[in-house]
Amino acid sequence: MSEPIIMIVDDDNNLLMALRRQLHRKFNILVALGGKTALQKFEEEDAIAVCVADMRMPNMTGLELLEKVREISPDTVCMMLTGNADQATAVDAINRGRIFRFFPKPYDPVLLEQALQDGLRQYHLVRTEKSLIQETLAGSVKVLTDVMAELNPVVFGRSLKMKGWCDTIAAELEYPRPWELSVAALLCPIGMVSLPPDILARMAQGKPLQPLERDLLKQTPETGRKLIGNIPRLEGIAEIVYFQNRNFDGTGFPLKGPTGENIPLGSRILRIVRDLAEVGNAAWPTDVDFELIYRHKHRYDPDLFAKIRQLLAIVDLDQEIPPEGREMDVLIDQLRVNDYLMTNLETTADRVVLTHGNFISEVQLERIRVFQKTHTFREPVQIKRGLRK
């Protein structure tokens, strides 16, 4: 790992050169003449541990710069130098820029060096804690998903599909914390661990449930919230999971709670994608799937529904080529050259015409068309479209 960088920003080039001469033997020093140059260096460097900025600079003040730094590099420790150390300036800097240290000019070289050491320690502490939290969260989520995969592989497979959809939605809608929506999609069925084994068995076999059993299923998000909520930093995901069956008009589970746009955005998204996953078998929802679930339009945020439909719906597979590498289920007539088979292509008489793991060539497609005249194929078949050999 490279030595952490300390960047000093000022509009006085002589001061910058003096600071670099004073500090370069003890620290990895980078200097920037003004705020614009400093922001460019953040784009060029992987990680700047500490940023020390002068308060009064033309075009962009030190406070304005450090506010931008907090946005683009939240782990960077921010410090400020100023020749006008009035109380109001200091308070504003600390509150708005989250300043770790504040130094008046002329600065004390000994105190500045000590502050930089403290800043580096703070940076390493933040990064270490973040890494630990990420590893802990990843491990906790993996345990829960492993439980679901063992409990009901079909439902877990559906959750994986929903996660892919949610990743697309989050990117397009600029969802504030996309990882939360992604994890919520994976864990939304975790409350099923509270269901009796016979209900789980029928669900795994794809058998219909009785009305009372369906009611029990609708209430499983409460168990899910309790399980997820026990993991630190997943409280927001627990709330998304809890309200996934809450309808936009205020009906559904829980019986009392927010309505309309007061329902968490992640829950409103899950309400749509989960219903889509239940009615369709393809890797991506079709326009017909959206039509089917919209028969219950009271469940959905209408504006959000329209946006998700525009993002995800496949209208005509023959005219619209999906994005690269998209998995889908297609009929035999819809197969194309260069489609990659995810399942065997076989007839109803169990004759394998082409095994999975193959790209369909022009010759093979012609052979399939000939077979269609005298044989009936099992369909749909699962493919990946958009890949290249």
Side-chain angles (χ1 to χ4, degrees):
M1 184 180 295
S2 59
E3 186 179 358
I5 297 171
I6 294 175
M7 183 167 70
I8 303 176
V9 189
D10 203 297
D11 61 324
D12 184 343
N13 192 54
N14 291 330
L15 177 63
L16 290 176
M17 295 303 101
L19 283 169
R20 182 157 63 181
R21 285 194 299 271
Q22 173 194 334
L23 300 170
H24 79 279
R25 294 182 183 277
K26 298 181 180 179
F27 305 102
N28 184 13
I29 296 295
L30 180 68
V31 296
L33 190 63
K36 183 178 179 181
T37 302
L39 293 177
Q40 291 174 347
K41 291 185 181 297
F42 268 97
E43 295 179 359
E44 298 168 0
E45 301 292 341
D46 292 334
I48 295 176
V50 179
C51 180
V52 183
D54 181 34
M55 176 62 186
R56 295 190 178 277
M57 296 186 293
N59 301 320
M60 184 186 301
T61 68
L63 180 55
E64 291 170 339
L65 168 64
L66 294 181
E67 283 185 296
K68 294 181 182 296
V69 168
R70 298 301 300 182
E71 294 176 3
I72 62 177
S73 182
D75 293 344
T76 297
V77 177
C78 296
M79 301 185 188
M80 182 167 286
L81 292 170
T82 180
N84 183 22
D86 60 89
Q87 184 177 1
T89 300
V91 171
D92 197 27
I94 291 170
N95 289 340
R96 290 174 56 190
R98 301 180 190 173
I99 308 302
F100 181 72
R101 290 287 191 275
F102 189 90
F103 292 97
K105 291 181 179 179
Y107 61 88
D108 184 318
V110 176
L111 292 179
L112 180 59
E113 289 184 19
Q114 182 60 51
L116 294 179
Q117 293 285 6
D118 293 342
L120 289 175
R121 279 195 291 270
Q122 176 68 13
Y123 176 78
H124 287 303
L125 179 64
V126 170
R127 294 296 293 266
T128 301
E129 181 183 16
K130 181 175 288 188
S131 176
L132 179 61
I133 290 172
Q134 289 174 344
E135 291 175 4
T136 302
L137 290 181
S140 300
V141 171
K142 185 179 185 304
V143 169
L144 293 177
T145 53
D146 286 349
V147 169
M148 284 198 309
E150 184 70 24
L151 187 70
N152 194 318
V154 174
V155 171
F156 179 62
R158 190 182 298 160
S159 294
L160 286 175
K161 181 165 62 175
M162 289 167 52
K163 177 190 178 298
W165 299 350
C166 284
D167 289 343
T168 298
I169 294 167
E172 293 295 329
L173 300 187
E174 296 183 353
Y175 192 87
R177 288 177 296 278
W179 70 273
E180 287 192 351
L181 182 62
S182 180
V183 174
L186 279 176
L187 298 183
C188 66
I190 191 63
M192 290 182 184
V193 297
S194 63
L195 293 176
D198 57 327
I199 296 180
L200 292 172
R202 280 202 293 279
M203 289 178 61
Q205 296 169 8
K207 295 181 178 179
L209 301 180
Q210 299 299 316
L212 181 59
E213 295 170 335
R214 289 198 297 270
D215 288 341
L216 289 175
L217 181 61
K218 290 177 182 177
Q219 296 176 33
T220 55
E222 184 168 10
T223 302
R225 179 174 70 165
K226 293 177 180 177
L227 288 171
I228 300 170
N230 287 326
I231 303 173
R233 306 297 178 96
L234 295 191
E235 295 85 357
I237 296 173
E239 287 303 295
I240 293 174
V241 169
Y242 181 58
F243 289 110
Q244 64 178 296
N245 286 339
R246 183 75 174 166
N247 296 324
F248 195 70
D249 68 351
T251 59
F253 181 86
L255 296 178
K256 294 182 180 180
T259 61
E261 293 185 357
N262 291 322
I263 300 171
L265 175 59
S267 302
R268 284 179 274 145
I269 293 174
L270 281 189
R271 192 73 183 95
I272 297 170
V273 298
R274 201 194 65 227
D275 286 357
L276 286 170
E278 289 178 357
V279 301
N281 295 319
W284 289 83
T286 66
D287 204 51
V288 174
D289 296 332
F290 280 91
E291 288 292 336
L292 286 173
I293 71 170
Y294 205 60
R295 294 174 183 175
H296 307 283
K297 60 183 180 181
H298 68 282
R299 297 177 177 176
Y300 315 116
D301 178 336
D303 293 335
L304 189 60
F305 187 92
K307 290 176 182 177
I308 292 177
R309 183 172 188 168
Q310 186 177 14
L311 285 173
L312 302 185
I314 298 174
V315 179
D316 188 338
L317 294 177
D318 288 328
Q319 295 181 0
E320 180 180 343
I321 299 177
E324 182 173 341
R326 177 177 289 183
E327 292 185 13
M328 60 181 71
D329 290 344
V330 299
L331 300 177
I332 302 301
D333 287 336
Q334 297 169 329
L335 288 173
R336 301 176 185 172
V337 173
N338 286 333
D339 281 347
Y340 179 82
L341 286 175
M342 304 287 288
T343 54
N344 288 343
L345 185 62
E346 55 188 13
T347 69
T348 54
D350 296 328
R351 179 173 181 176
V352 177
V353 178
L354 191 61
T355 59
H356 70 279
N358 280 289
F359 287 92
I360 297 178
S361 66
E362 291 186 13
V363 173
Q364 289 167 333
L365 188 60
E366 287 298 322
R367 180 172 176 239
I368 291 168
R369 298 292 178 243
V370 171
F371 263 79
Q372 277 186 283
K373 296 178 181 179
T374 55
H375 298 79
T376 303
F377 282 88
R378 288 198 173 92
E379 51 186 347
V381 293
Q382 191 175 21
I383 65 166
K384 265 195 174 182
R385 180 165 289 169
L387 295 173
R388 293 291 179 266
K389 292 184 180 181

